[in-house]
Amino acid sequence: MQNAPLVQQGQPITWQRMALTAAGVAGAVVVIDGFLNRETRDGLSTGEQALLHDTFKYTGGGLVLTALAARSMFKSGLAFRIMSANPWLVLGVSLVGSIGTMMGTFYTPPEKTVQKHLLWLGFNACQAATLSPLFLFSPAILSRAALYTVGIVGSLSYVGATAKNDTFLNLGGPLLAGVTVVALASLAPMALPLGVRSLAVTEALSLYGGLAVFGGFVLYDTQKILHHARLSEQGLMKADAINESIGLELDMINIFIRLVQILAMQGNNRK
């Protein structure tokens, strides 16, 4: 048992299949969006374009920093110490660190550039510490999950940005309820003695239900960015791309984690 690998290796990566799959998903979403939203909104205003562009710039930068930091933590052996620690301790520390730095970023005005960026970097460092154990999975699985995540988020963001109205802004309440159910399903095996069937149900709810919920959050957050941009143009609030990027970054991280788990399960089932 001591010689058994911690994580089984996935199937060799096929870049052609990955590219075709991602293109098929993106194309299907564009076609569906064109059918459902034939009468789209007018072109985005300058303020909407600027905030959307800056938000995705910070989202991409935050994800790159998180990935690099997580890789460094993995190489240093921190991932193994995190895996062997008390799950409740890891959960508590990661939650406190992530929520603390996130709220600090939210409540720091854009004028305090240095303080805001330091808190934003701290938030990404907390995310990196939580994600570093994922590097125990094979590079093929991580690469496929990353590509699928980019395709899903890019397609859903396009749908949200081109929708003919702000319908997705009304999803805030249902999505909050959904993420609560997903969180409880994820924590249930740690706190309750469950049978095999119950474990399978909670796992499916956490993985596939989580994919649906955080996909919905991508739509919601994209339209929220445009809504905030319009309020900023009217002088009712200040545009803050860093605050907007945190929501999208959390959406992408949660989608990525679930895709990694699903792909790893599929790879194990083929063996």
Side-chain angles (χ1 to χ4, degrees):
M1 292 180 64
Q2 292 178 347
N3 295 328
L6 290 173
V7 178
Q8 294 187 4
Q9 299 294 314
Q11 298 295 322
I13 189 169
T14 304
W15 291 104
Q16 184 178 8
R17 176 179 291 182
M18 289 172 57
L20 290 175
T21 302
V25 172
V29 172
V30 170
V31 171
I32 293 173
D33 176 64
F35 176 76
L36 296 178
N37 297 314
R38 290 183 294 275
E39 297 178 1
T40 58
R41 69 167 81 234
D42 296 332
L44 299 179
S45 66
T46 303
E48 289 175 324
Q49 291 178 357
L51 185 57
L52 198 63
H53 176 268
D54 290 342
T55 298
F56 275 97
K57 180 175 66 176
Y58 274 106
T59 301
L63 290 171
V64 170
L65 291 174
T66 298
L68 292 176
R71 180 63 177 172
S72 299
M73 293 177 184
F74 175 77
K75 286 186 174 181
S76 68
L78 179 61
F80 294 97
R81 292 194 291 272
I82 291 176
M83 293 281 288
S84 60
N86 187 314
W88 289 107
L89 177 63
V90 173
L91 178 63
V93 171
S94 63
L95 279 177
V96 170
S98 297
I99 294 175
T101 52
M102 180 176 66
M103 298 307 295
T105 305
F106 283 160
Y107 286 103
T108 301
E111 293 80 12
K112 298 183 178 180
T113 306
V114 176
Q115 178 180 335
K116 195 170 188 69
H117 280 80
L118 288 176
L119 287 168
W120 176 70
L121 290 173
F123 169 77
N124 285 287
C126 291
Q127 297 303 306
T130 306
L131 297 175
S132 59
L134 287 179
F135 281 95
L136 291 169
F137 290 94
S138 71
I141 289 177
L142 297 179
S143 300
R144 290 171 61 192
L147 181 62
Y148 295 161
T149 300
V150 171
I152 291 171
V153 173
S155 302
L156 291 175
S157 296
Y158 172 81
V159 171
T162 59
K164 60 185 178 182
N165 50 46
D166 294 331
T167 303
F168 298 123
L169 283 177
N170 300 325
L171 295 177
L175 288 174
L176 186 59
V179 78
T180 302
V181 173
V182 170
L184 291 175
S186 301
L187 296 176
M190 299 174 63
L192 300 174
L194 300 177
V196 176
R197 283 190 175 183
S198 298
L199 284 173
V201 172
T202 56
E203 184 179 46
L205 187 58
S206 174
L207 293 180
Y208 299 99
L211 276 180
V213 168
F214 287 104
F217 266 115
V218 173
L219 293 170
Y220 171 80
D221 287 332
T222 301
Q223 289 207 328
K224 186 179 68 173
I225 293 168
L226 300 178
H227 178 66
H228 287 171
R230 293 192 293 272
L231 293 178
S232 176
E233 289 177 325
Q234 297 170 13
L236 300 177
M237 68 173 294
K238 295 180 181 179
D240 195 333
I242 292 182
N243 284 3
E244 306 291 353
S245 70
I246 288 178
L248 278 177
E249 187 173 342
L250 288 174
D251 298 339
M252 294 186 71
I253 288 174
N254 279 282
I255 290 173
F256 172 73
I257 291 174
R258 283 161 175 79
L259 286 175
V260 168
Q261 292 175 299
I262 291 171
L263 291 173
M265 289 168 56
Q266 291 177 348
N268 291 336
N269 290 336
R270 295 193 191 102
K271 296 182 181 296

